[in-house]
Amino acid sequence: MELESVPGVGAKTAAALRELDDPEAALRDGDVASLARAPGISEGRAARIARGAIRAEHDDPGGFTATKRASEIHEDALALLTDRTVTDYAAKRLETIYPSGVRSRIEEVRAFAESAMARDPDPAVLDALSAVEPLSEPGDVRVRDRCLATRDAERYADAQAAIPEVSVEVVDDARQLAELARSYSTVVALDEAFAGVDIEGDVRVEPNALEEPESVVPERVLTFFARNRDRIRAAAEVHRVADLDAPCDLETLLSALAQLDADGSVSGDEELDRLATAVDDLDAAVSTAESVANDHLREAIEEQDVTIEGTDLLSLVERGAGVDSLLQRELADEYAAAVGKARDHLVDALALRDMEATARRAFPDEPAYPVEHSEDVVARLREELTAARDQRATRRKRELADDLAEMREAAESLVDATLELDVELAIARFAADFDCTMPDLTESEGVAIEGGRSPLLDVPFDEVEPVDYAVEGVTVLSGVNSGGKTSTLDLVALVTTLAHMGLPVPAESARVGRVSELHYHAKTQGTLDAGAFEATLREFGDLVADVDHRNPGRDDGAATDGPAAGTDDRPVMVLVDELESITEPGASAKIMAGILEALGERQATAIFVSHLARDISEAAENDISIDGIEAKGLEDGELRVERSPVKGKLARSTPELIVEKLADDGADDADGFYSDLLGKFE
């Protein structure tokens, strides 16, 4: 798949997508999680890109929701699903499921939805999902204690591109390499020419380092896992609770994660902890060791009786000798003991091993009071400890990074599978909450719904009365006010939209003819002015002309025998709610009759809700089906309605029902006034 051929993907976005391991597969699968790992691409953007790639893959021209109200029905349907997601990712991923007139796309989603409906939305699984998020790629890793070195300018540029986390230096010879070794704890030479050169410090010759960047910068892997540690652990918990097959051994993965601190450093290594503590505590340990020595020496002096003969005192004064000479002469043993205590304390306090000899030289043998450490020796000890700590840390990082690098792909799959599970569970919950079933999607026109209940009504779903309704061709739906005509139209639109999304529908059963465009015109509030009225007529004129244009068999304005060729390929459904409100009732009836006749000739499926069903029928030159939502009557002032439309039935209006009720009451109709009024409705 050519990345730039995907709608919404330009050169810059394509370059970002190429940073992924397999961008074509991610686009083909609608894998929002993988696409969102590309630099600068958010989940919302990834969903839009995935949607464009899916349309391109199925040669889908789009345009299913052809009107504002049709788009609103799709948004409502999507909201019913996203309201049942736990993660933000799943909500974005569901946005890649859209209504389509292309059979291959519908079947693709149907297979996914049927599998999803078998999932058990266990509350424990949903609770565990709350901590799962898509993995993030850290882009701020910077390592300053090591560098790459090369003699080749071209390799220098390659190194900067391959391993941007560390500095890259150009060196001409071993002397310059040795200078780098004094500035960095580790130097990685990229040139084979440096092999065998004896240089003090941690200098490694690794010509293949650019092919194995994790060996130079294990922090790249460790930071990734450290940043995503909680997300990976949460995904592992979901797999455990849901009893899912994991792409790797979870105990091994979790054990490796346990060795990571939140900042990406290695934890749980006693030797590394010892060295790190020694570096941190060195100054304090040296100071305390001095105090130990001076306290011992002070006590020794206080307890010692020193006798100096006059000639000795005179000799000391003449030579300018001070207390050091006196200590050496009279307290040599005590000084040695004091220094020994200082040395022992320093070694023990820092738990020194290999560097014990250096530490002991921190306190000189020459007597002095007070006892003081050697700055040069302590500085050398600090360098040795720091180097040992850094080398140990790098070695442990490399070891752990090697282990985790082998599990990175599995960890990504683990989290991706968990996020996809949330998508599946949202569909399963939607199907369960609204008693859904998979509809039969046919190539024939029309729609047939049995036991359909709309979740879009503003009442609890279990209180919604089921509706049976089937339509083929064009139909006028009549009925009393508040009888459910608009909600029936919404139900037909919702079932049709969900079926073309490849999703289950809220009905006991449903058969839906394939539709490429859904034109749903909501009720207009108030009579339109001349300009708006003309615009509305043009909209219907364009629709009829467009349907006619798709029928290459028509060249004389007459209907062709059999289904229209054009509408077989791009069939349309037209739903209209009380178009008569756009102008005067008499004119509205004639206009609707003409529109319905044109749509009928062109094999479209259409349902027009109207109170002018009788007038439309009379104005039409051809027979037009009329269905009615029947009122059972008035009981205690409340309208009782049979919600399922009756085929071929012109429903009576609310005024007619009221007049009938009065006419049936003989006491109120003694002079036959109400009976005469009732006759006007016949």
Side-chain angles (χ1 to χ4, degrees), residues 298-336:
R298 186 179 300 107
E299 291 176 3
I301 293 173
E302 290 174 352
E303 295 176 1
Q304 184 75 32
D305 292 330
V306 180
T307 301
I308 303 179
E309 296 181 358
T311 54
D312 292 334
L313 179 60
L314 181 60
S315 176
L316 290 171
V317 172
E318 288 175 347
R319 293 201 307 271
V323 69
D324 294 351
S325 297
L326 183 61
L327 287 172
Q328 186 172 7
R329 172 183 166 184
E330 299 292 335
L331 299 171
D333 293 341
E334 293 296 341
Y335 181 83

Side-chain angles (χ1 to χ4, degrees), residues 171-194:
V171 295
D172 295 327
D173 49 35
R175 180 183 60 79
Q176 292 182 346
L177 193 63
E179 290 177 359
L180 285 178
R182 285 192 289 272
S183 301
Y184 293 93
S185 63
T186 300
V187 177
V188 178
L190 301 177
D191 305 305
E192 190 72 45
F194 289 117

Side-chain angles (χ1 to χ4, degrees), residues 30-98:
D31 188 348
V32 174
S34 293
L35 294 174
R37 293 192 193 109
I41 295 181
S42 65
E43 287 179 16
R45 178 90 186 282
R48 291 192 294 274
I49 292 171
R51 205 159 48 236
I54 292 168
R55 284 202 169 105
E57 178 75 13
H58 293 276
D59 195 22
D60 185 349
F64 181 92
T65 54
T67 62
K68 178 182 177 182
R69 182 57 184 153
S71 296
E72 291 172 349
I73 290 293
H74 170 224
E75 291 169 2
D76 290 341
L78 193 60
L80 293 172
L81 290 157
T82 57
D83 286 347
R84 284 156 180 79
T85 61
V86 178
T87 64
D88 291 339
Y89 166 83
K92 296 297 183 184
R93 171 71 171 83
L94 283 167
E95 291 179 9
T96 66
I97 301 178
Y98 60 91

Side-chain angles (χ1 to χ4, degrees), residues 120-128:
D120 176 20
D122 187 334
V125 175
L126 299 177
D127 183 62

Side-chain angles (χ1 to χ4, degrees), residues 134-156:
L135 300 179
S136 64
E137 191 70 45
D140 57 350
V141 178
R142 186 69 183 167
V143 180
R144 304 186 185 280
D145 67 346
R146 71 199 76 123
C147 75
L148 299 172
T150 180
R151 299 170 61 179
D152 185 88
E154 184 175 343
R155 181 167 291 187
Y156 170 83

Side-chain angles (χ1 to χ4, degrees), residues 48-371:
R48 291 192 294 274
I49 292 171
R51 205 159 48 236
I54 292 168
R55 284 202 169 105
E57 178 75 13
H58 293 276
D59 195 22
D60 185 349
F64 181 92
T65 54
T67 62
K68 178 182 177 182
R69 182 57 184 153
S71 296
E72 291 172 349
I73 290 293
H74 170 224
E75 291 169 2
D76 290 341
L78 193 60
L80 293 172
L81 290 157
T82 57
D83 286 347
R84 284 156 180 79
T85 61
V86 178
T87 64
D88 291 339
Y89 166 83
K92 296 297 183 184
R93 171 71 171 83
L94 283 167
E95 291 179 9
T96 66
I97 301 178
Y98 60 91
S100 170
V102 178
R103 170 70 79 167
S104 62
R105 172 55 183 168
I106 298 171
E107 293 298 335
E108 184 177 67
V109 180
R110 279 175 67 95
F112 176 75
E114 287 173 346
S115 174
M117 290 169 66
R119 293 286 190 188
D120 176 20
D122 187 334
V125 175
L126 299 177
D127 183 62
L129 273 168
S130 63
V132 182
E133 296 180 48
L135 300 179
S136 64
E137 191 70 45
D140 57 350
V141 178
R142 186 69 183 167
V143 180
R144 304 186 185 280
D145 67 346
R146 71 199 76 123
C147 75
L148 299 172
T150 180
R151 299 170 61 179
D152 185 88
E154 184 175 343
R155 181 167 291 187
Y156 170 83
D158 292 342
Q160 285 187 314
I163 311 180
E165 296 92 342
V166 301
S167 296
V168 184
E169 306 288 346
V170 176
V171 295
D172 295 327
D173 49 35
R175 180 183 60 79
Q176 292 182 346
L177 193 63
E179 290 177 359
L180 285 178
R182 285 192 289 272
S183 301
Y184 293 93
S185 63
T186 300
V187 177
V188 178
L190 301 177
D191 305 305
E192 190 72 45
F194 289 117
V197 176
D198 187 16
I199 297 176
E200 184 178 352
D202 185 16
V203 178
R204 295 183 278 137
V205 180
E206 297 184 7
N208 297 324
L210 300 188
E211 285 74 44
E212 300 174 353
E214 288 82 4
S215 67
V216 178
V217 191
E219 290 86 352
R220 180 184 293 184
V221 174
L222 299 181
T223 303
F224 170 81
F225 277 95
R227 297 273 178 89
N228 294 293
R229 182 177 57 174
D230 293 342
R231 303 174 186 190
I232 296 171
R233 285 173 171 169
E237 177 64 11
V238 170
H239 274 67
R240 185 192 66 79
V241 174
D243 195 24
L244 300 177
D245 291 334
C248 63
D249 183 73
L250 295 182
E251 290 304 320
T252 301
L253 176 60
L254 294 175
S255 176
L257 288 176
Q259 300 177 53
L260 268 181
D261 281 333
D263 62 357
S265 59
V266 178
S267 63
D269 186 306
E270 293 183 0
E271 177 63 10
L272 180 58
D273 292 343
R274 180 187 70 82
L275 291 170
T277 300
V279 172
D280 294 340
D281 295 350
L282 177 58
D283 290 335
V286 169
S287 178
T288 302
E290 284 182 346
S291 298
V292 168
N294 287 315
D295 289 346
H296 176 86
L297 200 55
R298 186 179 300 107
E299 291 176 3
I301 293 173
E302 290 174 352
E303 295 176 1
Q304 184 75 32
D305 292 330
V306 180
T307 301
I308 303 179
E309 296 181 358
T311 54
D312 292 334
L313 179 60
L314 181 60
S315 176
L316 290 171
V317 172
E318 288 175 347
R319 293 201 307 271
V323 69
D324 294 351
S325 297
L326 183 61
L327 287 172
Q328 186 172 7
R329 172 183 166 184
E330 299 292 335
L331 299 171
D333 293 341
E334 293 296 341
Y335 181 83
V339 169
K341 284 187 174 182
R343 293 168 174 170
D344 290 343
H345 176 83
L346 183 59
V347 170
D348 293 342
L350 301 181
L352 297 179
R353 297 170 187 169
D354 298 339
M355 300 162 206
E356 181 177 348
T358 302
R360 290 191 175 280
R361 291 197 299 274
F363 295 96
D365 292 327
E366 295 76 15
Y369 185 83
V371 177

Side-chain angles (χ1 to χ4, degrees), residues 7 64 201 207 222 319 451 458 469 484 588 593 619 653:
F64 181 92
L222 299 181
R319 293 201 307 271
D458 192 21
Y469 192 37
S588 294
S653 65

